[in-house]
Amino acid sequence: MQDKDNIKIGYDAKRIVRNGTGLGSYGRTLINSLASHAAKGLRYVLYAPDKGRDDLRLQVKEDETVGYAYPRKASNALSKALWRTWGIVDDLKKDGITLFHGLSGELPLGLRRAGIKSIVTIHDLIFMRHPEYYNWLDTKIYALKFRLTCREADRIIAISECTKRDIMAYSNFPEDRIDVVYQSCGIRFREKEGESKLQEVHARYDLPARYILNVGSIEERKNVLLAVKALHYVPDDISLVIVGRHTKYTDKVREYADAHELGGRVRILHGIPDSDLPSLYQMSELFVYPSRYEGFGIPIIEAIQCGLPVVACTGSCLEEAGGPDCIYVSPDDDKAMADAIKSLLVGSEGRQERIERSREYVRRFENTDVAKQMIEEYMKLI
């Protein structure tokens, strides 16, 4: 058996140094948790195709247990991509890596042949469950990568039971080698912002007096148009504030709102700094997340931590993320969405009880000892 006092674990760190949210946040949070866990004899080497963004890379502090590694020869985009898929294996062997963890659903080819154990985190298989939301060629490439990853992987981490079900539905990977490890959520959204900060953010974005909030990518799958349509049936003094990156779907949402005399009640904000998000949550009356399909649903947890009731949609993992005291409606039923919103506005009967029960439910995701769980997963292979 491998000497447990001298184990190097490698990671695919492309997203860590390049992605501000989502997969990048997952990787940075996990590595920092592992580094603070002080597991004896474990070292963590982060393999990235380049240094990426300084502000992201430096969120992971390098020390005697954590360090970055870059390709020895790759100098352009193509060679970096090839290194990440194939060439990295030679570097892993030279560096004495015992186990490699793919943090974003992919593994390099040749790990098994090189005798390097591997584990991969799969966040979702939406490209297989709902290919209509993706470019046709992209779905084929993603599906091929998934099949190759299943062939290389010794174990798989699913971030939700929903994702685990999808892995089993779209592959022959053995169920006893798939474990669910929820990603840890911090508790910063539980902290109340000061009144001066709230007033500053309210004025800067010229926010409505009363609004419901949606945060996330503004794309077809996220289905925020359902919440816009629901405005027809809720009190006229309630607006919808949508926070996310501009896409073609954003234009579709705006065009619908303007065409149906809802333009004045729909605010779309782009480029919001992370530091302003807690204030946007805390000044809203409730959170809507009408996504048709998700791998998990972190914004729901953030909203609940901020003391908001939540309306989301059925059909994926959102009930798993939000718990039984959120309200879930069909992703095609704008009237049901409106009824749920009205039942949760400030002053509604039972609202506060729902909020408190939901906050208790999401504690299972807060600062959980993901590092301990992940090290247990590693030791199953070492």
Side-chain angles (χ1 to χ4, degrees), residues 133 214-225 249 289-294 299:
Y133 298 128
N214 171 263
V215 176
S217 302
I218 308 173
E219 57 186 78
E220 196 86 33
R221 173 174 59 86
K222 300 287 189 176
N223 195 34
V224 75
L225 187 56
Y249 182 69
Y289 203 63
S291 181
R292 292 182 179 276
Y293 211 83
E294 294 291 329

Side-chain angles (χ1 to χ4, degrees), residues 281 287 289 297-305 310 312 318 321-322 326 328:
Y281 277 118
F287 187 72
Y289 203 63
I298 289 294
I300 287 179
I301 296 172
E302 293 174 349
I304 291 171
Q305 289 175 325
V310 172
L318 300 184
C326 299
Y328 305 93

Side-chain angles (χ1 to χ4, degrees), residues 69-318:
Y70 307 101
R72 291 170 166 86
K73 296 180 180 179
S75 58
N76 56 47
L78 177 59
S79 61
K80 290 174 182 178
L82 291 174
W83 171 81
R84 184 167 174 256
T85 303
W86 286 288
I88 189 176
V89 176
D90 286 337
D91 289 351
L92 299 177
K93 290 167 64 178
K94 291 174 184 175
D95 295 342
I97 296 298
T98 302
L99 170 70
F100 187 83
H101 186 166
L103 296 173
S104 55
E106 298 179 52
L107 288 173
L109 302 179
L111 287 171
R112 187 176 292 276
R113 188 169 57 251
I116 298 172
K117 296 292 186 179
S118 65
I119 193 165
V120 61
T121 298
I122 293 182
H123 298 260
D124 63 69
L125 293 179
I126 300 171
F127 56 88
M128 301 183 84
R129 179 66 71 180
H130 286 286
E132 66 271 21
Y133 298 128
Y134 295 82
N135 174 278
W136 177 85
L137 180 59
D138 286 343
T139 64
K140 299 303 180 184
I141 293 172
Y142 298 156
L144 174 61
K145 286 184 176 182
F146 171 64
R147 290 195 296 272
L148 293 173
T149 291
C150 288
R151 196 177 302 169
E152 290 285 350
D154 291 297
R155 297 194 70 82
I156 290 178
I157 297 295
I159 67 162
S160 67
E161 293 290 347
C162 178
T163 295
K164 180 177 179 177
R165 290 193 296 271
D166 280 353
I167 294 167
M168 293 167 58
Y170 290 103
S171 77
N172 294 319
F173 201 86
E175 181 179 1
D176 62 358
R177 288 161 50 197
I178 308 171
D179 289 322
V180 174
V181 178
Y182 292 110
Q183 62 189 96
S184 178
C185 302
I187 58 171
R188 72 184 186 92
F189 283 93
R190 278 189 173 270
E191 299 171 5
K192 294 291 291 182
E193 296 285 9
E195 189 60 33
S196 60
K197 171 70 173 181
L198 296 177
Q199 291 179 3
E200 174 200 339
V201 171
H202 197 282
R204 187 187 317 150
Y205 301 113
D206 190 24
L207 296 171
R210 299 183 71 190
Y211 67 90
I212 59 179
L213 181 68
N214 171 263
V215 176
S217 302
I218 308 173
E219 57 186 78
E220 196 86 33
R221 173 174 59 86
K222 300 287 189 176
N223 195 34
V224 75
L225 187 56
L226 182 74
V228 176
K229 292 177 178 179
L231 290 178
H232 289 295
Y233 310 106
V234 302
D236 291 344
D237 63 337
I238 301 294
S239 296
L240 170 65
V241 174
I242 303 168
V243 177
R245 179 176 57 87
H246 183 275
T247 64
K248 289 182 179 179
Y249 182 69
T250 312
D251 298 330
K252 180 178 178 179
V253 171
R254 173 53 63 196
E255 288 166 5
Y256 178 92
D258 290 344
H260 292 81
E261 300 182 350
L262 295 171
R265 297 174 64 192
V266 176
R267 298 288 311 282
I268 303 177
L269 305 178
H270 308 299
I272 302 299
D274 193 56
S275 58
D276 286 347
L277 272 179
S279 297
L280 288 168
Y281 277 118
Q282 291 173 24
M283 289 185 289
S284 64
E285 292 201 23
L286 63 90
F287 187 72
V288 290
Y289 203 63
S291 181
R292 292 182 179 276
Y293 211 83
E294 294 291 329
F296 191 44
I298 289 294
I300 287 179
I301 296 172
E302 293 174 349
I304 291 171
Q305 289 175 325
C306 285
L308 297 182
V310 172
V311 181
C313 283
T314 57
S316 62
C317 67
L318 300 184

